[in-house]
Amino acid sequence: MQILPEGFALPPLPYLLVLLVVGVAVAVGVRTRRPAVTGDHVVALAPWMAVGSVLHVLHVVDALPSILDPLAGTPSVYITVALLVGVVWLAADALTDAETVPVVLAVTGLLALVPSLVAALLVGQGRGSLAVTWPAIALVVAVVLTGVTWVVLRQVRPEVALTGSVGVLALFGHTLDGVSTAVGLEVLGFSERTPLSRLIIELGQALPTAQYVGGAWLFVLVKLLVAAGVVTLLVDYVREEPAEGYLLLGLVAAVGFGPGVHNLVLFSIA
């Protein structure tokens, strides 16, 4: 049985060595400085999460320079972006005050995201495959579903309000992943590369409802329920250990938001 997603491969050894050296340096810097972590810091990382997604799309469509391409595969793109964030975070922590660090993280992330996204759209335009209508619809649906789910969740479990914008980001990320995957499968004819996700979708296709709404609806529902459940479970952790709790919740958000953005960009240009 396949466990890892299709396309999973480590970069060549020289790249691994560079990532290892930078990783050690960042780890030492974090251990030495111990920068503050709040919900604002984690939300400010959202543009960086999207940067990794866009770079991976450019890798998938063979549109990156050969010297950069190995750093944008799976899993190296996650490591590369995480190390870039670490370097920026440590520099901001050393050179600015604590309240400015989230602003620096967000602005630098946007400065990296905008040209990457423009490059991806230009690739689609140049190849005659640019089509943003359905990805835009998926984004709007995900925003609406997130809002409705968050309101309902706060009514059922009021304590989730403690997670704040990070909790909303986590919920939105997984909703975006679910909705964009459903649009890609049911409307645009793409296939699912992740084995577990593909299994859930196949279960949905085996249900009687599949003939009316397809099978991907089950994946959307599972993503919503799991995200809501995880956000609820992490409330106490955020309350007792805010720094660690927000970081963990941010990781949960990235696991959904990254693939969701990846889907939107890939579907727009491929």
Side-chain angles (χ1 to χ4, degrees):
M1 177 182 176
Q2 182 184 2
I3 297 176
L4 298 176
E6 296 176 12
F8 188 97
L10 294 175
L13 183 58
Y15 290 88
L16 283 176
L17 291 176
V18 171
L19 292 175
L20 178 61
V21 171
V22 177
V24 170
V26 169
V28 171
V30 170
R31 184 177 179 84
T32 301
R33 294 200 60 84
R34 295 188 179 277
V37 179
T38 66
D40 290 340
H41 290 83
V42 174
V43 172
L45 297 179
W48 282 106
M49 299 176 194
V51 168
S53 302
V54 178
L55 290 178
H56 186 59
V57 170
L58 291 171
H59 165 78
V60 169
V61 299
D62 296 321
L64 279 176
S66 58
I67 194 172
L68 297 177
D69 192 67
L71 295 174
T74 305
S76 52
V77 68
Y78 308 121
I79 302 171
T80 301
V81 173
L83 293 180
L84 284 174
V85 169
V87 171
V88 172
W89 198 328
L90 289 172
D93 188 69
L95 299 175
T96 66
D97 57 84
E99 294 181 354
T100 307
V101 174
V103 177
V104 174
L105 290 173
V107 170
T108 54
L110 288 172
L111 290 176
L113 175 61
V114 171
S116 302
L117 187 56
V118 169
L121 295 176
L122 289 176
V123 168
Q125 185 180 47
R127 297 180 179 182
S129 56
L130 185 63
V132 300
T133 300
W134 278 106
I137 291 173
L139 177 60
V140 172
V141 171
V143 169
V144 173
L145 273 179
T146 300
V148 172
T149 304
W150 181 251
V151 170
V152 172
L153 186 59
R154 286 196 57 176
Q155 292 295 320
V156 177
R157 301 296 297 271
E159 65 271 21
V160 299
L162 182 66
T163 63
S165 54
V166 186
V168 176
L169 178 63
L171 188 60
F172 172 67
H174 285 272
T175 305
L176 181 64
D177 184 24
V179 172
S180 61
T181 297
V183 168
L185 292 174
E186 304 293 352
V187 180
L188 302 178
F190 284 82
S191 59
E192 175 58 45
R193 298 192 304 166
T194 305
L196 180 58
S197 301
R198 189 162 57 237
L199 177 61
I200 295 172
I201 293 165
E202 289 173 353
L203 289 174
Q205 291 171 341
L207 296 175
T209 53
Q211 61 180 317
Y212 304 107
V213 293
W217 70 269
L218 182 61
F219 181 65
V220 177
L221 178 61
V222 168
K223 294 288 284 186
L224 279 170
L225 293 177
V226 170
V230 171
V231 170
T232 302
L233 287 174
L234 289 178
V235 168
D236 289 339
Y237 196 19
V238 171
R239 180 186 294 114
E240 296 167 6
E241 300 287 345
E244 295 178 10
Y246 280 129
L247 277 177
L248 182 55
L249 198 52
L251 179 60
V252 172
V255 171
F257 186 64
V261 172
H262 176 276
N263 287 344
L264 293 185
V265 178
L266 180 63
F267 299 163
S268 295
I269 70 172

